[in-house]
Amino acid sequence: VQLQASGGGLVQAGGSLRLSCAASRRTFSIYRMAWFRQDPGKERGAVAIIMWESGRTQYADSVKGRFTISRDIAENTVALQMNSLAPEDTAVYYCAVGSSIGWHYWGQGTQVTVSS
């Protein structure tokens, strides 16, 4: 199983970006998917999680009201719409697929850089 993330780039503060992640092969049951991000020297942390069947979402406090996670069950994709971006959102963003007990598959990461 491979997760292919895309959509990162350079944007000015206040701008928007949309990240997308596609699962290459569906031979497993998806329980949840998420977007994580990691700054250099810091731990990777979840910014948004979506439950695959119900669509219920969770967000880190730092992105609430600005980021929206969504999924397309038919296409096995998850997206992250990021609005009102700020320099502190600069990081490498990773998509992940998980079960109820952990995260098992990771995308390759896509760089998001927000200039002030």
PDB file of all heavy atoms in Angstrom, residues 68-89:
ATOM      1  N   THR A  68      -9.630  22.212   6.956  1.00  0.00           N
ATOM      2  CA  THR A  68     -10.748  21.279   6.835  1.00  0.00           C
ATOM      3  C   THR A  68     -10.266  19.995   6.189  1.00  0.00           C
ATOM      4  O   THR A  68      -9.686  20.030   5.098  1.00  0.00           O
ATOM      5  CB  THR A  68     -11.881  21.873   5.988  1.00  0.00           C
ATOM      6  OG1 THR A  68     -12.324  23.104   6.579  1.00  0.00           O
ATOM      7  CG2 THR A  68     -13.057  20.913   5.913  1.00  0.00           C
ATOM      8  N   ILE A  69     -10.506  18.876   6.858  1.00  0.00           N
ATOM      9  CA  ILE A  69     -10.151  17.572   6.312  1.00  0.00           C
ATOM     10  C   ILE A  69     -11.410  16.940   5.732  1.00  0.00           C
ATOM     11  O   ILE A  69     -12.508  17.073   6.285  1.00  0.00           O
ATOM     12  CB  ILE A  69      -9.510  16.666   7.391  1.00  0.00           C
ATOM     13  CG1 ILE A  69      -8.961  15.381   6.773  1.00  0.00           C
ATOM     14  CG2 ILE A  69     -10.483  16.371   8.525  1.00  0.00           C
ATOM     15  CD1 ILE A  69      -8.123  14.538   7.739  1.00  0.00           C
ATOM     16  N   SER A  70     -11.244  16.256   4.608  1.00  0.00           N
ATOM     17  CA  SER A  70     -12.370  15.584   3.968  1.00  0.00           C
ATOM     18  C   SER A  70     -11.870  14.312   3.310  1.00  0.00           C
ATOM     19  O   SER A  70     -10.671  14.143   3.089  1.00  0.00           O
ATOM     20  CB  SER A  70     -13.025  16.499   2.934  1.00  0.00           C
ATOM     21  OG  SER A  70     -12.101  16.857   1.924  1.00  0.00           O
ATOM     22  N   ARG A  71     -12.808  13.400   3.024  1.00  0.00           N
ATOM     23  CA  ARG A  71     -12.395  12.169   2.350  1.00  0.00           C
ATOM     24  C   ARG A  71     -13.368  11.826   1.249  1.00  0.00           C
ATOM     25  O   ARG A  71     -14.536  12.208   1.274  1.00  0.00           O
ATOM     26  CB  ARG A  71     -12.255  10.999   3.348  1.00  0.00           C
ATOM     27  CG  ARG A  71     -13.517  10.158   3.586  1.00  0.00           C
ATOM     28  CD  ARG A  71     -14.401  10.776   4.597  1.00  0.00           C
ATOM     29  NE  ARG A  71     -15.428   9.861   5.098  1.00  0.00           N
ATOM     30  CZ  ARG A  71     -16.710  10.116   4.984  1.00  0.00           C
ATOM     31  NH1 ARG A  71     -17.150  11.221   4.379  1.00  0.00           N
ATOM     32  NH2 ARG A  71     -17.598   9.273   5.491  1.00  0.00           N
ATOM     33  N   ASP A  72     -12.863  11.093   0.264  1.00  0.00           N
ATOM     34  CA  ASP A  72     -13.672  10.573  -0.833  1.00  0.00           C
ATOM     35  C   ASP A  72     -13.564   9.060  -0.757  1.00  0.00           C
ATOM     36  O   ASP A  72     -12.537   8.498  -1.124  1.00  0.00           O
ATOM     37  CB  ASP A  72     -13.167  11.122  -2.166  1.00  0.00           C
ATOM     38  CG  ASP A  72     -14.054  10.708  -3.336  1.00  0.00           C
ATOM     39  OD1 ASP A  72     -14.565   9.580  -3.343  1.00  0.00           O
ATOM     40  OD2 ASP A  72     -14.226  11.541  -4.247  1.00  0.00           O
ATOM     41  N   ILE A  73     -14.624   8.429  -0.291  1.00  0.00           N
ATOM     42  CA  ILE A  73     -14.583   6.994  -0.071  1.00  0.00           C
ATOM     43  C   ILE A  73     -14.407   6.235  -1.392  1.00  0.00           C
ATOM     44  O   ILE A  73     -13.650   5.271  -1.467  1.00  0.00           O
ATOM     45  CB  ILE A  73     -15.856   6.534   0.664  1.00  0.00           C
ATOM     46  CG1 ILE A  73     -15.884   7.124   2.083  1.00  0.00           C
ATOM     47  CG2 ILE A  73     -15.948   5.019   0.702  1.00  0.00           C
ATOM     48  CD1 ILE A  73     -17.130   6.817   2.854  1.00  0.00           C
ATOM     49  N   ALA A  74     -15.056   6.682  -2.428  1.00  0.00           N
ATOM     50  CA  ALA A  74     -14.993   5.984  -3.716  1.00  0.00           C
ATOM     51  C   ALA A  74     -13.594   6.045  -4.320  1.00  0.00           C
ATOM     52  O   ALA A  74     -13.141   5.095  -4.973  1.00  0.00           O
ATOM     53  CB  ALA A  74     -16.000   6.577  -4.683  1.00  0.00           C
ATOM     54  N   GLU A  75     -12.901   7.162  -4.093  1.00  0.00           N
ATOM     55  CA  GLU A  75     -11.567   7.350  -4.684  1.00  0.00           C
ATOM     56  C   GLU A  75     -10.446   7.005  -3.716  1.00  0.00           C
ATOM     57  O   GLU A  75      -9.279   7.043  -4.106  1.00  0.00           O
ATOM     58  CB  GLU A  75     -11.411   8.810  -5.145  1.00  0.00           C
ATOM     59  CG  GLU A  75     -12.381   9.227  -6.243  1.00  0.00           C
ATOM     60  CD  GLU A  75     -12.119   8.488  -7.538  1.00  0.00           C
ATOM     61  OE1 GLU A  75     -10.933   8.183  -7.830  1.00  0.00           O
ATOM     62  OE2 GLU A  75     -13.086   8.188  -8.247  1.00  0.00           O
ATOM     63  N   ASN A  76     -10.781   6.681  -2.464  1.00  0.00           N
ATOM     64  CA  ASN A  76      -9.763   6.386  -1.434  1.00  0.00           C
ATOM     65  C   ASN A  76      -8.781   7.544  -1.275  1.00  0.00           C
ATOM     66  O   ASN A  76      -7.562   7.358  -1.249  1.00  0.00           O
ATOM     67  CB  ASN A  76      -8.986   5.112  -1.772  1.00  0.00           C
ATOM     68  CG  ASN A  76      -9.840   3.880  -1.768  1.00  0.00           C
ATOM     69  OD1 ASN A  76     -10.838   3.822  -1.063  1.00  0.00           O
ATOM     70  ND2 ASN A  76      -9.464   2.890  -2.560  1.00  0.00           N
ATOM     71  N   THR A  77      -9.319   8.733  -1.206  1.00  0.00           N
ATOM     72  CA  THR A  77      -8.473   9.918  -1.042  1.00  0.00           C
ATOM     73  C   THR A  77      -8.898  10.725   0.177  1.00  0.00           C
ATOM     74  O   THR A  77     -10.054  10.674   0.610  1.00  0.00           O
ATOM     75  CB  THR A  77      -8.533  10.834  -2.275  1.00  0.00           C
ATOM     76  OG1 THR A  77      -9.895  11.244  -2.476  1.00  0.00           O
ATOM     77  CG2 THR A  77      -8.038  10.120  -3.519  1.00  0.00           C
ATOM     78  N   VAL A  78      -7.952  11.438   0.709  1.00  0.00           N
ATOM     79  CA  VAL A  78      -8.217  12.371   1.799  1.00  0.00           C
ATOM     80  C   VAL A  78      -7.582  13.701   1.423  1.00  0.00           C
ATOM     81  O   VAL A  78      -6.510  13.732   0.804  1.00  0.00           O
ATOM     82  CB  VAL A  78      -7.677  11.850   3.144  1.00  0.00           C
ATOM     83  CG1 VAL A  78      -6.163  11.717   3.118  1.00  0.00           C
ATOM     84  CG2 VAL A  78      -8.134  12.716   4.293  1.00  0.00           C
ATOM     85  N   ALA A  79      -8.236  14.776   1.755  1.00  0.00           N
ATOM     86  CA  ALA A  79      -7.750  16.104   1.407  1.00  0.00           C
ATOM     87  C   ALA A  79      -7.685  16.974   2.654  1.00  0.00           C
ATOM     88  O   ALA A  79      -8.387  16.725   3.639  1.00  0.00           O
ATOM     89  CB  ALA A  79      -8.642  16.750   0.357  1.00  0.00           C
ATOM     90  N   LEU A  80      -6.838  17.980   2.590  1.00  0.00           N
ATOM     91  CA  LEU A  80      -6.735  18.964   3.668  1.00  0.00           C
ATOM     92  C   LEU A  80      -6.764  20.346   3.036  1.00  0.00           C
ATOM     93  O   LEU A  80      -5.819  20.738   2.339  1.00  0.00           O
ATOM     94  CB  LEU A  80      -5.453  18.784   4.473  1.00  0.00           C
ATOM     95  CG  LEU A  80      -5.326  19.693   5.693  1.00  0.00           C
ATOM     96  CD1 LEU A  80      -6.360  19.307   6.759  1.00  0.00           C
ATOM     97  CD2 LEU A  80      -3.916  19.617   6.291  1.00  0.00           C
ATOM     98  N   GLN A  81      -7.849  21.061   3.220  1.00  0.00           N
ATOM     99  CA  GLN A  81      -7.964  22.432   2.758  1.00  0.00           C
ATOM    100  C   GLN A  81      -7.434  23.340   3.853  1.00  0.00           C
ATOM    101  O   GLN A  81      -7.932  23.316   4.980  1.00  0.00           O
ATOM    102  CB  GLN A  81      -9.413  22.788   2.446  1.00  0.00           C
ATOM    103  CG  GLN A  81      -9.633  24.213   2.008  1.00  0.00           C
ATOM    104  CD  GLN A  81      -8.974  24.520   0.679  1.00  0.00           C
ATOM    105  OE1 GLN A  81      -9.020  23.704  -0.244  1.00  0.00           O
ATOM    106  NE2 GLN A  81      -8.342  25.681   0.576  1.00  0.00           N
ATOM    107  N   MET A  82      -6.424  24.128   3.525  1.00  0.00           N
ATOM    108  CA  MET A  82      -5.766  24.982   4.504  1.00  0.00           C
ATOM    109  C   MET A  82      -5.969  26.437   4.101  1.00  0.00           C
ATOM    110  O   MET A  82      -5.493  26.852   3.043  1.00  0.00           O
ATOM    111  CB  MET A  82      -4.283  24.656   4.597  1.00  0.00           C
ATOM    112  CG  MET A  82      -3.997  23.186   4.877  1.00  0.00           C
ATOM    113  SD  MET A  82      -2.242  22.844   5.120  1.00  0.00           S
ATOM    114  CE  MET A  82      -1.632  23.143   3.458  1.00  0.00           C
ATOM    115  N   ASN A  83      -6.674  27.175   4.920  1.00  0.00           N
ATOM    116  CA  ASN A  83      -6.941  28.596   4.677  1.00  0.00           C
ATOM    117  C   ASN A  83      -6.274  29.447   5.746  1.00  0.00           C
ATOM    118  O   ASN A  83      -5.897  28.955   6.804  1.00  0.00           O
ATOM    119  CB  ASN A  83      -8.447  28.858   4.661  1.00  0.00           C
ATOM    120  CG  ASN A  83      -9.165  28.091   3.573  1.00  0.00           C
ATOM    121  OD1 ASN A  83      -8.618  27.858   2.495  1.00  0.00           O
ATOM    122  ND2 ASN A  83     -10.400  27.694   3.853  1.00  0.00           N
ATOM    123  N   SER A  84      -6.158  30.720   5.456  1.00  0.00           N
ATOM    124  CA  SER A  84      -5.562  31.673   6.407  1.00  0.00           C
ATOM    125  C   SER A  84      -4.231  31.158   6.934  1.00  0.00           C
ATOM    126  O   SER A  84      -3.963  31.180   8.136  1.00  0.00           O
ATOM    127  CB  SER A  84      -6.519  31.946   7.568  1.00  0.00           C
ATOM    128  OG  SER A  84      -7.755  32.453   7.109  1.00  0.00           O
ATOM    129  N   LEU A  85      -3.400  30.703   6.032  1.00  0.00           N
ATOM    130  CA  LEU A  85      -2.117  30.116   6.426  1.00  0.00           C
ATOM    131  C   LEU A  85      -1.213  31.165   7.061  1.00  0.00           C
ATOM    132  O   LEU A  85      -1.215  32.347   6.668  1.00  0.00           O
ATOM    133  CB  LEU A  85      -1.446  29.480   5.223  1.00  0.00           C
ATOM    134  CG  LEU A  85      -2.034  28.128   4.811  1.00  0.00           C
ATOM    135  CD1 LEU A  85      -1.641  27.767   3.392  1.00  0.00           C
ATOM    136  CD2 LEU A  85      -1.584  27.045   5.780  1.00  0.00           C
ATOM    137  N   ALA A  86      -0.447  30.714   8.037  1.00  0.00           N
ATOM    138  CA  ALA A  86       0.489  31.563   8.763  1.00  0.00           C
ATOM    139  C   ALA A  86       1.876  30.935   8.720  1.00  0.00           C
ATOM    140  O   ALA A  86       2.000  29.719   8.471  1.00  0.00           O
ATOM    141  CB  ALA A  86       0.026  31.716  10.206  1.00  0.00           C
ATOM    142  N   PRO A  87       2.925  31.730   8.949  1.00  0.00           N
ATOM    143  CA  PRO A  87       4.286  31.173   8.911  1.00  0.00           C
ATOM    144  C   PRO A  87       4.471  29.979   9.833  1.00  0.00           C
ATOM    145  O   PRO A  87       5.244  29.060   9.500  1.00  0.00           O
ATOM    146  CB  PRO A  87       5.152  32.360   9.338  1.00  0.00           C
ATOM    147  CG  PRO A  87       4.390  33.547   8.858  1.00  0.00           C
ATOM    148  CD  PRO A  87       2.949  33.196   9.088  1.00  0.00           C
ATOM    149  N   GLU A  88       3.779  29.935  10.944  1.00  0.00           N
ATOM    150  CA  GLU A  88       3.923  28.795  11.859  1.00  0.00           C
ATOM    151  C   GLU A  88       3.300  27.520  11.324  1.00  0.00           C
ATOM    152  O   GLU A  88       3.473  26.446  11.928  1.00  0.00           O
ATOM    153  CB  GLU A  88       3.322  29.135  13.225  1.00  0.00           C
ATOM    154  CG  GLU A  88       1.911  29.672  13.176  1.00  0.00           C
ATOM    155  CD  GLU A  88       1.869  31.184  13.187  1.00  0.00           C
ATOM    156  OE1 GLU A  88       2.774  31.819  12.584  1.00  0.00           O
ATOM    157  OE2 GLU A  88       0.927  31.737  13.799  1.00  0.00           O
ATOM    158  N   ASP A  89       2.596  27.583  10.215  1.00  0.00           N
ATOM    159  CA  ASP A  89       2.085  26.373   9.568  1.00  0.00           C
ATOM    160  C   ASP A  89       3.140  25.729   8.674  1.00  0.00           C
ATOM    161  O   ASP A  89       2.908  24.634   8.138  1.00  0.00           O
ATOM    162  CB  ASP A  89       0.846  26.697   8.720  1.00  0.00           C
ATOM    163  CG  ASP A  89      -0.327  27.171   9.549  1.00  0.00           C
ATOM    164  OD1 ASP A  89      -0.597  26.554  10.598  1.00  0.00           O
ATOM    165  OD2 ASP A  89      -0.972  28.165   9.161  1.00  0.00           O
TER     166      ASP A  89
END
